Amino acid sequence: MTAPPDDCLARNDWICGAYLTSRRGILGEAVLQHLQLTAANGADAKTVGSPDLDATMKVLRELAAKRGLDVLNPGRAVDQNAYAVSAAYAGKHRLRTLSDLGRAGLPVRLAAGDECVRRAYCAPGLRKTYGIRITSVDPKGLGTTPSKRAVQSGQDQMVVTTTTDGTLAAFGLVVLTDDKHLQNADHIVPVVNRSRAGGERVRNALDKLNAVLTTKDLRSMNEQVDSWRRLPEAVAERYLRSEGLIPAG
């Protein structure tokens, strides 16, 4: 699931508490793993992911095996970075792909995280791969409400978000297709602890989920949580029941 609206903490919104409570363990583990990997490999370690799914999976499995982890098969769903513009802007300039934007030669102020200025798959990649005229990066964050509002208002021309963002339509935004495959192969891939969750039952359950779960499904569930304010666990349970993955209640 994507994060709740970024201004919800200021409003003391209920969804922040629900979101953080449901993910306390996950968020803590993610921070710890990030610190461990940074300490082991350095902040400037070479990126090993790529748009090539098979190559990425090979490297991932090699790295995971050293840590007692098993990497299962990738699913159908993809959670990649995506680049969105306002529907009006896309219509005016006849934009459907990032290549279209590059050919148009329009100056683009990009709403994104501050790391975008140096990430190969963000501003530098957009310039090199597509020839897009990125004039500056507006550091409002990845897919945040202020970032999307900046593009909606015309203050910025494009926002970095994700392919599973379920709120874009509410802001009048549309995604431009990454037709030259700049982004990594960010498929949903189950990774399990071999000693604790490496059994056949766990693998079978995850394989069944991965066989049906799509990017569109994730986008829909994120919309229900982020826009409709439904609890993540309730949305997930309803989805699992609708796909026959758990018994009907």
Side-chain angles (χ1 to χ4, degrees):
M1 301 293 175
T2 56
D6 50 69
D7 55 348
C8 67
L9 285 172
R11 301 197 315 263
N12 195 27
D13 202 332
W14 71 272
I15 197 172
C16 282
Y19 179 86
L20 294 174
T21 298
S22 67
R23 290 163 172 77
R24 184 180 293 117
I26 297 173
L27 293 171
E29 184 68 18
V31 171
L32 178 60
Q33 290 179 0
H34 176 74
L35 292 174
Q36 290 173 335
L37 289 172
T38 299
N41 302 313
D44 298 321
K46 181 181 178 181
T47 299
V48 295
S50 77
D52 185 326
L53 177 60
D54 292 337
T56 299
M57 289 297 298
K58 182 176 183 295
V59 175
L60 175 60
R61 287 192 165 110
E62 291 172 353
L63 293 172
K66 299 174 184 177
R67 293 168 173 82
L69 304 175
D70 283 342
V71 179
L72 307 189
N73 292 328
R76 299 166 60 191
V78 178
D79 186 24
Q80 291 175 308
N81 280 358
Y83 297 89
V85 300
S86 73
Y89 182 83
K92 179 180 179 181
H93 300 290
R94 299 181 179 181
L95 306 176
R96 292 189 177 183
T97 68
L98 290 172
S99 288
D100 290 340
L101 182 57
R103 283 191 293 268
L106 299 166
V108 174
R109 189 175 191 224
L110 182 63
D114 54 7
E115 74 283 354
C116 180
V117 297
R118 60 182 181 274
R119 283 195 68 229
Y121 304 109
C122 203
L126 291 171
R127 293 188 181 105
K128 181 178 180 180
T129 302
Y130 289 104
I132 296 174
R133 288 179 56 199
I134 305 295
T135 59
S136 63
V137 172
D138 186 5
K140 285 184 165 61
L142 172 68
T144 62
T145 297
S147 287
K148 285 178 271 196
R149 284 178 178 162
V151 176
Q152 182 184 40
S153 68
Q155 176 185 346
D156 297 342
Q157 287 70 51
M158 188 161 67
V159 58
V160 184
T161 182
T162 65
T163 54
T164 58
D165 191 329
T167 67
L168 295 181
F171 291 91
L173 306 181
V174 294
V175 170
L176 297 182
T177 301
D178 178 19
D179 52 306
K180 293 184 179 179
H181 307 292
L182 171 65
Q183 297 305 308
N184 281 339
D186 291 329
H187 289 245
I188 304 299
V189 179
V191 179
V192 299
N193 186 308
R194 190 179 304 135
S195 63
R196 296 182 181 180
E200 187 175 349
R201 290 181 62 188
V202 173
R203 291 170 177 271
N204 288 342
L206 291 171
D207 284 343
K208 288 178 181 178
L209 174 59
N210 256 356
V212 298
L213 185 66
T214 66
T215 306
K216 183 178 179 181
D217 292 338
L218 287 174
R219 196 157 48 237
S220 173
M221 286 189 277
N222 284 333
E223 181 182 22
Q224 293 174 59
V225 174
D226 296 342
S227 296
W228 305 355
R229 298 190 172 188
R230 292 179 176 172
L231 289 173
E233 55 267 34
V235 172
E237 181 178 345
R238 182 177 181 181
Y239 175 79
L240 293 172
R241 293 191 191 283
S242 72
E243 295 293 335
L245 296 174
I246 59 175

